[in-house]
């Protein structure tokens, strides 16, 4: 395919690779989805290797910074101050962007944002766009909205390209294809590149340099012929109207300079008041995410510049549940997130089940609190996510902006329980808690319950309790519960230590 050719449709009539079928259905609750992740031995090995490598790199570069904890505290303070006055900063950002020559659009939700994007692309007469890696465009399902409108959206980040060509879904905030190994990537390139553009070279091996070279060649024609690009933004500086994208490959720089039209979708929590505030985050983010001392590419642009880069610049400021999170005095702390993925890389649950189990573009510990904040706790997947954690607290220690993730998980669990109570769902659990409260409230009750349970230990000749029916099955189907002892602790103490016995 040459630089002047238009995208062609595949055998299914699509312009771009179809996402996996399971993404078109309601997501399974985390406990069900996690079982599939645990059964995927190749994925588990890939994740163990990748997260271990990133953790080690982060630890090395963080140890080099004597005032790392001060930087974390500064990042926390800046984000908290910004969120307290977010309404004012957003007005300032809009004024600065407009003054710089950009057109500002406000989107209440995903449908609003996608409608604006489709209309803007159609107004150019183009049938395809290239993309900078963007979590927020994944969040709103932009690629599929463009596909339905007859517009092809091409991922240009290497990992996102792997995911797109593999008919896959991102499983990590920073490294979307972390669940794939080099052999799988080679097969994806060999089978799919030729369907959607320049094919992979003959004899492509698993060597990283060859795989990257194949991706570079495949993307080159798309960069040269595409006149519209879509980006997100890591940060948006209110006082100047400057948007910032940090990346490691240079594809972002290509997207931000070559096209004639640039559309940037920015979550409203990305705003920073001043350029001075940006300094703190440009030190925190690379060390926490890729384990680098600085970003290989940091692109900053303030509206269009005559004769240089895109001349038609649009910025879509997206809510999509963020004001709901902001209204929660405790839950709003999740909006400090700068999408570094440090919490994913250290989480023992994520490392074993992978990102797809979370049913969202935001997986891992931050996803377990951010998704319920943005989407509510009404559907099965979101109400299950706060329980997708052992509450070990490791994520608290690595978060560069000191989000108390384990505390927020407990907070979200409380919201889920209150939602169940409000709808009078799952009456068994409250009844069990009420019975436990009665037992624990008086030592006589506890002693009587212990004596009664010890009878079962005497009568049943088993060492562990296997799967039980009914409501107890969710606990016992994956755990071997020890059989209650034939003698309670009180009985043992009286027999062996109590002088009055």
């Amino acid at each position: 395919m040459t630089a002047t050719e238009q995208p062609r449709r595949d055998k299914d009539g699509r312009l771009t690779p179809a996402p996996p079928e399971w993404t078109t259905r309601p997501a399974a609750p985390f406990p069900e989805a996690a079982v599939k992740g645990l059964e995927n031995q190749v994925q588990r090995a890939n994740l163990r290797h990748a997260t271990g490598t990133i953790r080690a790199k982060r630890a090395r570069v963080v140890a080099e910074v004597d005032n790392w904890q001060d930087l974390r505290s500064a990042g926390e303070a800046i984000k908290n101050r910004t969120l307290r006055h977010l309404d004012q900063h957003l007005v300032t950002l809009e004024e600065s962007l407009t003054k710089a020559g950009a057109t500002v659009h406000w989107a209440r939700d995903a449908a609003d944002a996608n409608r604006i994007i489709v209309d803007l692309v159609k107004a150019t007469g183009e049938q395809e766009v290239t993309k900078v890696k963007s979590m927020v465009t994944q969040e709103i399902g932009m690629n599929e909205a463009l596909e339905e409108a007859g517009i092809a959206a091409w991922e240009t980040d290497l990992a996102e390209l792997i995911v797109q060509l593999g008919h896959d879904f991102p499983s990590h905030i920073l490294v979307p294809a972390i669940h794939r190994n080099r052999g799988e990537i080679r097969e994806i390139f060999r089978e799919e590149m030729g369907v959607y553009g320049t094919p992979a070279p003959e004899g492509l091996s698993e060597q990283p340099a060859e795989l990257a070279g194949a991706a570079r060649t495949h993307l080159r024609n798309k960069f040269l012929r595409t006149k519209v690009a879509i980006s997100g933004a890591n940060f948006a500086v209110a006082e100047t109207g400057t948007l910032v994208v940090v990346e490691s490959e240079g594809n972002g720089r290509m997207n931000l300079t070559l096209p004639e039209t640039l559309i940037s979708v920015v979550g409203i929590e990305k705003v920073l008041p001043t350029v001075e505030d940006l300094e703190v985050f440009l030190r925190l983010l690379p060390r926490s995410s890729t384990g680098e001392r600085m970003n290989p590419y940091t692109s900053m642009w303030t509206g269009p510049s005559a004769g240089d880069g895109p001349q038609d610049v649009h910025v879509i400021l997206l809510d999509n549940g963020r004001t709901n999170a902001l209204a929660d005095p405790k839950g709003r702390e999740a909006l400090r997130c700068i999408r570094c993925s440090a919490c994913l890389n250290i989480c023992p649950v994520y490392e074993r089940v992978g990102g797809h189990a979370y049913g969202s573009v935001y997986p891992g510990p931050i996803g377990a609190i951010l998704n319920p904040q943005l989407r509510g706790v009404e559907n099965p997947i979101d109400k299950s996510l706060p329980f997708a954690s052992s509450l070990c607290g490791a994520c608290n220690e690595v978060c560069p902006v000191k989000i108390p993730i384990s505390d927020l998980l407990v907070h979200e669990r409380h919201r889920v329980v209150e939602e169940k109570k409000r709808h009078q769902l799952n009456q068994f659990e409250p009844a069990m808690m009420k019975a436990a409260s009665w037992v624990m409230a008086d030592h006589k009750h506890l002693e009587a319950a212990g004596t009664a349970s010890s009878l079962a230990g005497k009568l049943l000749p088993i060492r562990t309790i296997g799967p039980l029916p009914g409501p107890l099955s969710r606990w016992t189907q994956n755990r071997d519960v020890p059989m209650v002892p034939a003698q309670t602790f009180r009985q043992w103490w009286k027999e062996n230590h109590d002088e009055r016995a």
Side-chain angles (χ1 to χ4, degrees):
M1 186 181 290
T2 68
T4 58
E5 285 185 86
Q6 293 298 314
R8 56 177 180 260
R9 296 186 181 273
D10 61 18
K11 59 182 177 61
D12 297 318
R14 290 180 57 94
L15 296 168
T16 58
E21 185 181 347
W22 59 265
T23 62
T24 63
R25 303 189 300 266
F30 182 84
E32 297 177 22
V35 171
K36 295 181 180 179
L38 289 170
E39 292 173 347
N40 189 334
Q41 297 299 319
V42 173
Q43 174 179 278
R44 291 181 64 178
N46 296 343
L47 288 171
R48 183 166 59 251
H49 172 74
T51 56
T53 301
I54 298 172
R55 280 198 305 270
K57 288 179 62 180
R58 177 198 171 276
R60 284 196 299 271
V61 296
V62 165
E64 298 172 354
V65 184
D66 293 336
N67 65 337
W68 180 252
Q69 296 306 323
D70 293 335
L71 278 173
R72 293 180 71 211
S73 296
E76 175 191 19
I78 291 169
K79 279 289 190 176
N80 283 343
R81 185 180 73 242
T82 304
L83 291 171
R84 282 196 302 270
H85 306 288
L86 186 59
D87 54 340
Q88 300 171 27
H89 295 308
L90 287 172
V91 171
T92 302
L93 176 63
E94 180 183 30
E95 292 172 350
S96 298
L97 285 165
T98 303
K99 185 177 179 180
T103 303
V104 179
H105 310 262
W106 294 86
R108 183 181 300 276
D109 53 25
D112 260 2
N114 286 327
R115 176 183 53 78
I116 294 168
I117 294 166
V118 168
D119 289 347
L120 289 174
V121 177
K122 283 186 173 180
T124 68
E126 294 298 309
Q127 296 181 334
E128 59 182 345
V129 302
T130 53
K131 284 183 60 187
V132 185
K133 180 180 180 298
S134 166
M135 302 297 298
V136 73
T137 56
Q138 293 277 2
E139 175 190 330
I140 63 176
M142 186 200 73
N143 287 14
E144 284 305 290
L146 289 172
E147 174 75 33
E148 291 174 6
I151 301 166
W154 304 116
E155 300 288 355
T156 62
D157 173 82
L158 177 57
E160 290 284 8
L161 176 66
I162 294 165
V163 168
Q164 184 178 44
L165 290 177
H167 302 268
D168 206 345
F169 190 77
S171 66
H172 191 276
I173 288 175
L174 180 69
V175 194
I178 195 171
H179 57 290
R180 295 289 196 178
N181 59 38
R182 284 182 284 175
E184 293 174 307
I185 294 168
R186 180 193 62 185
E187 292 308 310
I188 290 171
F189 282 6
R190 289 173 62 181
E191 293 175 9
E192 300 291 337
M193 277 185 168
V195 178
Y196 301 100
T198 305
E202 291 292 331
L204 179 66
S205 76
E206 298 179 9
Q207 293 304 308
E210 289 194 30
L211 295 174
R216 188 179 297 112
T217 302
H218 178 80
L219 290 171
R220 183 67 57 174
N221 286 337
K222 290 180 169 57
F223 280 131
L224 293 176
R225 73 170 184 260
T226 305
K227 297 182 179 180
V228 181
I230 298 177
S231 81
N234 293 94
F235 308 102
V237 181
E239 70 172 356
T240 60
T242 301
L243 300 188
V244 183
V245 163
V246 298
E247 42 135 354
S248 300
E249 301 172 12
N251 64 292
R253 185 72 54 83
M254 298 281 280
N255 280 295
L256 299 172
T257 54
L258 288 178
E260 298 172 3
T261 299
L262 175 62
I263 304 168
S264 300
V265 187
V266 185
I268 57 174
E269 84 283 13
K270 298 292 187 177
V271 65
L272 293 176
T274 68
V275 174
E276 286 78 9
D277 296 325
L278 184 62
E279 174 197 357
V280 173
F281 295 97
L282 290 183
R283 294 187 67 191
L284 287 170
L285 182 55
R287 293 176 188 266
S288 297
S289 56
T290 55
E292 295 171 299
R293 296 178 180 87
M294 65 181 292
N295 302 297
Y297 295 88
T298 299
S299 299
M300 305 171 69
W301 69 100
T302 308
S305 180
D308 183 18
Q311 298 300 294
D312 190 13
V313 176
H314 297 265
V315 179
I316 301 170
L317 297 175
L318 176 71
D319 181 345
N320 205 36
R322 286 158 176 79
T323 51
N324 294 335
L326 191 65
D328 184 343
K330 181 66 177 174
R332 68 167 58 178
E333 293 183 284
L335 294 179
R336 293 206 299 263
C337 177
I338 58 175
R339 311 294 194 267
C340 70
S341 76
C343 62
L344 281 72
N345 298 329
I346 204 165
C347 178
V349 177
Y350 172 85
E351 183 180 308
R352 286 157 180 80
V353 304
H356 293 159
Y358 295 82
S360 165
V361 68
Y362 303 118
I366 189 61
I369 57 174
L370 191 59
N371 290 316
Q373 281 289 326
L374 297 180
R375 305 190 305 204
V377 292
E378 288 76 26
N379 69 65
I381 177 64
D382 291 323
K383 69 176 59 175
S384 72
L385 288 178
F387 300 91
S389 170
S390 65
L391 298 181
C392 68
C395 48
N396 300 341
E397 302 303 317
V398 298
C399 176
V401 288
K402 291 189 172 181
I403 299 173
I405 295 176
S406 57
D407 292 346
L408 292 180
L409 285 165
V410 174
H411 174 70
E412 292 302 315
R413 291 179 184 188
H414 177 73
R415 287 182 61 207
V416 171
V417 171
E418 290 301 309
E419 183 74 11
K420 287 181 179 179
K421 288 167 65 175
R422 189 166 68 87
H423 292 287
Q424 297 184 339
L425 300 173
N426 191 10
Q427 295 302 304
F428 177 78
E429 185 177 346
M432 289 286 290
M433 293 298 104
K434 190 172 183 179
S437 176
W438 179 86
V439 170
M440 298 296 181
D442 189 300
H443 75 93
K444 294 180 180 178
H445 298 167
L446 181 60
E447 196 167 349
T451 301
S453 65
S454 66
L455 292 175
K458 294 175 181 177
L459 296 174
L460 298 176
I462 56 176
R463 299 182 63 182
T464 59
I465 301 173
L468 295 175
L472 292 175
S473 63
R474 296 183 64 185
W475 178 266
T476 58
Q477 67 183 354
N478 293 317
R479 298 173 179 85
D480 288 329
V481 181
M483 185 60 185
V484 292
Q487 186 180 43
T488 68
F489 176 78
R490 289 172 181 267
Q491 292 169 344
W492 176 85
W493 183 268
K494 286 181 179 181
E495 183 179 307
N496 292 276
H497 295 279
D498 196 335
E499 294 178 355
R500 296 171 298 174

